Amino acid sequence: MIRCSGSTACWRAVLLLATLGVAGRASAADRPKDPPPLSRPTLAVEDTIPPLVAEPYPEILVNAPRASLDEILARVAAGEAHRDSLIDDTAFTALMRVVGHEGDGDKARTWVYWDAVARVYRKRPGKVRVIRLKEQAYEQDGTLKKDSNVNVDFDADLSEQFIAFAFDPTMRDRYRFSIDKRSLVGEHVVYEIAFAPRSALDPFPTGRVWIDTNDFVILREEFWYRDRSPAPLFIERIDNCVIERAKIDDRYWVLSRLLARATFSDAIRLIGKVSGEKVPKTCDLAFQQTEWIINGGVPDSLFAPGKK
Amino acid sequence: MRPARHLGLIAILLLSIATSRPARADELERFLGGMSDSTSLWFGPTSVTFDTTGVDSLLRVGGNPKLGKRSAFTQGLHWTPRSGFNRAEGHSVGLEGRFGHRSIGELRAGGSYGFANQEGRYRFAYRRELWRRTPVGDPEFLKRVTLRLAYARETAPFAPEHADPFSSTLGALLTGRDRQSVYESRGVSGAVEYFSVGLAGGLGYHAARDQSMPRATRETLWGRDRTVPLVTPADEGSYREATAFLRLRAQGGLLRASIDGSYGARDRWRVRAAAARKVLTRLGVDAHLEAEGGLTAREGRAQQRFELGGPLAVPSLGFGDVAGDRLLLGKFEVVHGVDVLRGLHLPHPSFLVLHPSIFAQGGSVWARGEGAGEWSAPPRDSWRGAAGVSLVHLPGIPTPASYLRLQMAWPIGRESGVPRFSLSFNRWFDLIGK
């Protein structure tokens, strides 16, 4: 029994428990005598809400089938496509950095290999304008390099379909998926879904994504090539690649940050040595998109040639 | 109810509304932020901190004047060296340039020179996208229509679907025994092609003049070799033909099929179909099955015949060992994803990952019988077969599906060749789309 001091929060808790109690008694009366056969969809067991009171909630049998993994995967593909459709024009500042790592332990060294900042404008259909603000390459000792060997370009594609590469309906047969975890975060149910290529010979990564089931958009993605490489002549492994999204204007989920760490093969380091370009053993690629303006009405005149 | 109680209830209601907390919209943000902080810690401060000093000022003036404008011309220009060796040209060296820009399409121009026959080869090609549909708001796929035009004087192989230039070059250079025959083709071609993820097709036109290329050198890497074989002479002449192809792709590329054909006249036509299936198992083993069939005109050009032989079609036979105007071929292979060298604890460079495979291939080429219709069953004695083992390396270039294969094949049945070792550079589903 709960003793209520008369505070509003307490009254609301009582009302909530009363509702659940009534529902529990009602469902208990309707509960079938025999358990459902194993061939039916899994019945839900609440395991995400932390216990608010000492006594546990009674189990509530739900006859509606739980969304299958296939349905979730299809909804993610649709959710990502819907997300793309909401955006007509964007402006953002792109911050890019390549960082080299050499050595281990006490002899470990880290240096900035290349640094760049650009302001990017995109508009449907097919318009893009990149204003380069900063670009600099560095030697290992921190001195400035005259020329950089890194060239980054932005296309006019407003979609971020590359993030949902594993959920592309045409690629689903090439992956194994599993739901690793479900979390209740505020009013959001977040699924953590793991994926791995079905064939050891396919050049696809292993990874996991976090999905907000309110709109079935990917919030965060991690993938890696730790036991295989997509291009073993050049890259020995990719320890981790993390893609993070942020919500802009409380409506649009967009790429906010991409971080990747790759270890280069001995072959490419040797080629670099011969050509006079010191290739670090391990390299981080950092890419951040900030100061977003979405559907702000980028004028067509901005994309005219020669326009400042 | 007394007014005081009314007032009390109203007060409680207003208090409930005033003190009720809205849904905590920042909980998701904090959830993601926690993971983001862990990520920043893992990568380290150097990788996650950016220097944006002065960036706002530069944006106000329209960019950094020191950076200058990148030339669209130099950005879109790429060069690729070309080289090869065969007994009809000797060593050939060349270069191909490619320039692409959104507004004009893609231009390619390349040339090479054969030091033995002292002839040049060139190719000028143009590709432009005529139409593109990028679906928005729908999980559909990109569709596009492309125009291709080319004018070339080039060296082309007999039975191009089974040709392996890498293997031929190595065989000619190292042993002098390679028997891949080639011919010169000079002409124009054009096609309009449709592409989407599951379906691709095209219609085209080709007009050219074919000429034989006789043996021009007996040289190998080790010196002059008297046993270097002759080049099968091509049927010379000019021709014009319509071409068409259709390619299907399903189940994420696990199932593919293609059909391509050309028609110039009643005695000048060719049709070829191929299908391939990849089966993924839980044992870390992939199985590949491919089947191919073809028909061509009975009195057609020699260079358009179907052939068996070479690493892609019954590898215990040499290139051009058997030929005919009808073809049937089946291939089966099982590849394991294990790294052989690591499994055997042999020291090796990290990039050298070798996967073991076993394979079996069998096929038949035969001539259409006198008085029979277009299709006649292959004679029993026309079947050839081979089985063997190979080591496969996936370098990741030029495509993720490309492989370097070292294989040893043994003949199965009569007249199926000899035990043969070969090195080939090709891709999975090598019979599709050639």
Side-chain angles (χ1 to χ4, degrees), chain B residues 29-366:
Chain B
E29 216 174 285
R30 271 196 270 140
F31 175 76
L32 296 174
M35 286 193 284
S36 183
D37 291 341
S38 303
T39 301
S40 299
L41 207 64
W42 191 86
F43 278 91
T46 311
S47 299
V48 303
T49 316
F50 297 91
D51 179 12
T52 55
T53 312
V55 156
D56 288 337
S57 311
L58 287 168
L59 183 59
R60 273 196 290 274
V61 298
N64 188 337
K66 287 185 190 172
L67 290 174
K69 206 168 157 37
R70 281 215 180 96
S71 162
F73 179 77
T74 52
Q75 272 196 287
L77 187 60
H78 303 273
W79 297 101
T80 311
R82 295 270 181 241
S83 69
F85 180 82
N86 60 65
R87 60 196 186 284
E89 290 178 296
H91 289 283
S92 65
V93 174
L95 191 65
E96 182 185 76
R98 178 169 58 91
F99 173 71
H101 193 270
R102 266 192 304 272
S103 56
I104 65 167
E106 183 186 87
L107 289 164
R108 284 181 190 244
S112 65
Y113 181 76
F115 288 91
N117 65 346
Q118 295 176 347
E119 285 182 6
R121 297 285 183 263
Y122 50 80
R123 182 175 175 84
F124 302 100
Y126 175 67
R127 182 171 70 95
R128 184 180 174 83
E129 205 169 81
L130 299 177
W131 171 81
R132 166 187 279 249
R133 180 167 177 269
T134 308
V136 176
D138 235 349
E140 286 182 21
F141 312 105
L142 175 68
K143 298 180 176 73
R144 62 172 185 254
V145 173
T146 306
L147 170 71
R148 288 182 191 270
L149 300 170
Y151 172 64
R153 180 190 184 195
E154 52 192 359
T155 301
F158 280 45
E161 57 276 345
H162 297 158
D164 190 318
F166 179 78
S167 180
S168 293
T169 298
L170 274 186
L173 205 54
L174 296 177
T175 68
R177 306 272 192 277
D178 174 70
R179 304 233 297 275
Q180 173 69 67
S181 290
V182 295
Y183 65 100
E184 177 191 329
S185 178
R186 188 195 311 218
V188 297
S189 63
V192 174
E193 297 173 356
Y194 167 84
F195 169 83
S196 76
V197 170
L199 175 72
L203 293 171
Y205 175 79
H206 185 209
R209 178 173 171 75
D210 291 351
Q211 276 188 294
S212 285
M213 290 179 68
R215 183 181 62 196
T217 181
R218 293 179 196 260
E219 293 294 328
T220 68
L221 195 62
W222 323 111
R224 198 173 161 82
D225 187 335
R226 287 184 302 115
T227 61
V228 169
L230 293 168
V231 180
T232 304
D235 287 333
E236 300 190 346
S238 300
Y239 63 91
R240 284 177 284 188
E241 61 188 11
T243 59
F245 76 87
L246 190 67
R247 273 178 221 134
L248 302 172
R249 184 177 180 274
Q251 295 177 12
L254 297 176
L255 181 64
R256 300 192 197 207
S258 72
I259 181 166
D260 49 79
S262 62
Y263 183 87
R266 267 189 82 176
D267 60 346
R268 194 170 293 128
W269 57 269
R270 195 177 197 262
V271 176
R272 183 183 150 269
R277 178 89 168 95
K278 181 172 181 169
V279 178
L280 307 177
T281 70
R282 288 187 176 270
L283 305 170
V285 162
D286 291 359
H288 299 142
L289 299 100
E290 287 185 270
E292 183 188 25
L295 304 95
T296 187
R298 194 159 71 91
E299 302 289 334
R301 292 168 287 153
Q303 57 268 36
Q304 294 294 289
R305 294 177 313 178
F306 296 104
E307 293 180 356
L308 287 181
L312 304 187
V314 188
S316 56
L317 294 168
F319 282 110
D321 273 359
V322 286
D325 50 49
R326 301 288 181 268
L327 164 75
L328 273 180
L329 174 67
K331 295 169 42 164
F332 174 74
E333 178 181 29
V334 172
V335 192
H336 200 292
V338 71
D339 179 353
V340 167
L341 297 177
R342 191 193 292 182
L344 294 174
H345 301 288
L346 294 172
H348 63 283
S350 58
F351 64 84
L352 190 62
V353 179
L354 298 178
H355 305 286
S357 92
I358 55 173
F359 65 86
Q361 299 181 13
S364 169
V365 286
W366 71 101

Side-chain angles (χ1 to χ4, degrees), chain A residues 249-306:
Chain A
D249 299 338
D250 207 27
R251 193 173 179 211
Y252 311 105
W253 284 100
V254 293
L255 172 70
S256 68
R257 194 166 73 158
L258 185 152
L259 291 162
R261 176 167 293 172
T263 301
F264 291 110
S265 69
D266 295 334
I268 199 64
R269 296 186 76 205
L270 180 64
I271 293 171
K273 207 172 185 177
V274 167
S275 62
E277 180 69 43
K278 187 164 168 52
V279 178
K281 176 72 179 167
T282 305
C283 185
D284 286 354
L285 168 69
F287 180 78
Q288 190 167 326
Q289 295 182 160
T290 64
E291 296 175 6
W292 281 90
I293 301 173
I294 297 180
N295 291 344
V298 179
D300 286 342
S301 56
L302 187 67
F303 304 99

